[in-house]
């Protein structure tokens, strides 16, 4: 099979880590008889430099017409002082909305060989954890009406949250379908003791849950969830929540694994074309130095094979090779955590993974 992949390498370490993932895809393609035809598109700071806009129309069209999109990261200090409407981050929101991507999937798990990098107590780490955060991506307070006005105490600002039944139903279905492929447990997180949007969220999730009698479903208030994630993350399988709660909790879930250089993500819509990217940013402090950990991007490519291209064996092959490289003791600087020896470069780590495919 031939698959068309749009590559949006972006800024900072983006080009280094996406190139690593492409090398892995080429090897997997050769092994399983596929061709991954990759085309580069500009987005973020590099697009601002080249075209004056963070998300050129050509990039949107190219991504829309591809089977899937693999993205590095965008942004950096060079563009920090630009006005809000032409900031690199605009490219991400623009791409998500142009591709209709309403779900963000973020797996977070502990690798036993890297348990030393985990920030939790050893007895909690020993239980292990492997969860997926399913975050609603295109609704809620980040997209609600906002503004400034003069209120009772003078100048004030406001943001509003709205969720429709349709938006909650479709994200809940993603969570239940994901749980069916895992340990069949969904925890829905809200703030139903205070927020009306959360009460609608909860009612709707319960109704959708009836369609999935084989999946256990429970609710948790967001403040309790923030505690439970550090107290006993092993209790979670699939977590589903709104845009803002998901933004905060998914960063918390990734932090407890020990390194953001390891964590992949997928943004999905109703079609097959998804956007796959590491959860970290463009790491300007190490950009161009061949020091970045390529694993998060390589695992994002594996998620792309699994979710957008239905290539399960190929995705397993990549994930197993990453596991094997970590188990064999290979480390980039960010996951050394006091280990002896010299850290591998981005290129060397990529080679160690490719050798194990
Ligand atoms: P960051 O994730 O880029 O970096 C935080 C720290 O983690 C840095 O010390 C960095 O060196 C390290 N790090 C990140 N990825 C790594 C990797 N693969 N290997 C080794 N170390 C890694 O976050 P930041 O410094 O807050 O942001 C830098 C820029 O990235 C900003 O312009 C921000 O807006 C942007 N950003 C982009 C995205 C995205 O494109 N999705 C996400 C977050 C931040």
């Amino acid at each position: 099979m031939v698959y068309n992949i749009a590559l949006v390498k972006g800024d900072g370490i983006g080009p280094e880590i996406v190139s690593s993932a492409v090398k892995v895809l080429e090897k997997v393609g050769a092994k399983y008889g596929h061709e991954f035809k990759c085309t580069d598109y500009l987005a973020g700071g590099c697009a601002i430099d080249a075209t004056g806009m963070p998300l050129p129309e050509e990039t949107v069209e190219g991504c829309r017409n591809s089977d899937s999109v693999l993205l590095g990261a965008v942004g950096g200090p060079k563009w920090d002082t630009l006005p809000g409407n032409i900031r690199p981050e605009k490219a991400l929101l623009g791409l998500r909305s142009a591709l209709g991507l309403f779900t963000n999937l973020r797996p977070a798990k502990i690798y036993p060989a890297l348990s030393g990098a985990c920030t939790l107590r050893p007895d909690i780490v020993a239980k292990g954890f492997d969860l997926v955060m399913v975050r609603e991506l295109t609704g809620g307070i980040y997209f609600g009406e906002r503004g400034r006005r003069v209120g009772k105490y003078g100048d004030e600002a406001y943001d509003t949250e709205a969720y429709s039944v349709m938006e909650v139903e479709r994200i809940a279905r993603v969570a239940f379908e994901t749980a069916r492929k895992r340990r069949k447990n969904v925890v829905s997180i809200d703030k139903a003791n205070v927020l009306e949007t959360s009460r609608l969220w909860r009612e709707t999730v319960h109704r959708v849950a009836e369609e999935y009698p084989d999946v256990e479903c429970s609710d948790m208030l967001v403040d309790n969830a923030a505690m439970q994630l550090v107290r006993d993350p092993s209790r979670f399988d699939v977590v589903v929540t709104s845009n803002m709660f998901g933004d905060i909790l998914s960063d918390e879930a990734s932090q407890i694994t020990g390194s953001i250089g390891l964590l992949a993500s997928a943004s999905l819509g109703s079609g097959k074309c998804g956007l796959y990217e590491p959860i970290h940013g463009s790491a300007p402090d190490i950009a161009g130095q061949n020091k970045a950990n390529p694993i998060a991007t390589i695992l994002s490519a594996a998620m792309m094979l699994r979710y957008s291209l239905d290539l399960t064996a190929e995705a397993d092959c990549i994930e197993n090779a990453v596991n094997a490289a970590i188990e064999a003791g290979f480390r980039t600087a960010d996951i050394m955590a006091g280990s002896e020896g010299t850290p591998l470069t981005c290129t060397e780590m990529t080679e160690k993974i490719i050798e194990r495919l």
Side-chain angles (χ1 to χ4, degrees), residues 118-183:
C118 180
T119 47
L120 300 178
R121 265 198 343 247
D123 58 312
I124 301 174
V125 179
K127 287 168 82 179
F129 62 88
D130 177 357
L131 62 91
V132 176
M133 191 75 68
V134 178
R135 167 188 167 196
E136 202 288 326
L137 207 53
T138 52
I141 196 163
Y142 291 178
F143 292 88
E145 197 193 318
R146 72 195 56 183
R148 299 280 178 114
R149 62 191 171 198
V150 178
K152 195 172 158 196
Y153 303 107
D155 290 344
E156 63 179 26
Y158 63 96
D159 298 275
T160 51
E161 167 149 301
Y163 265 115
S164 66
V165 170
M166 181 281 286
E167 288 172 301
V168 183
E169 275 177 358
R170 67 182 182 182
I171 194 77
R173 287 208 172 86
V174 174
F176 285 104
E177 293 292 339
T178 306
R180 271 193 169 157
K181 294 179 196 138
R182 295 173 46 93
R183 302 194 304 275

Side-chain angles (χ1 to χ4, degrees), residues 13 71 73-76 80 89 92 260-261 277 279-286 291-293 334:
I13 59 171
L71 187 139
V74 298
D80 274 353
E89 296 77 9
L92 291 179
I260 57 171
E277 58 180 318
I279 67 148
H280 58 71
S282 60
D285 52 336
I286 55 166
K291 282 184 183 166
N293 186 345
D334 58 310

Side-chain angles (χ1 to χ4, degrees), residues 236-250:
F236 295 106
D237 176 20
V238 174
V239 174
V240 62
T241 191
S242 64
N243 202 343
M244 182 165 71
F245 294 161
D247 190 6
I248 298 164
L249 292 178
S250 58

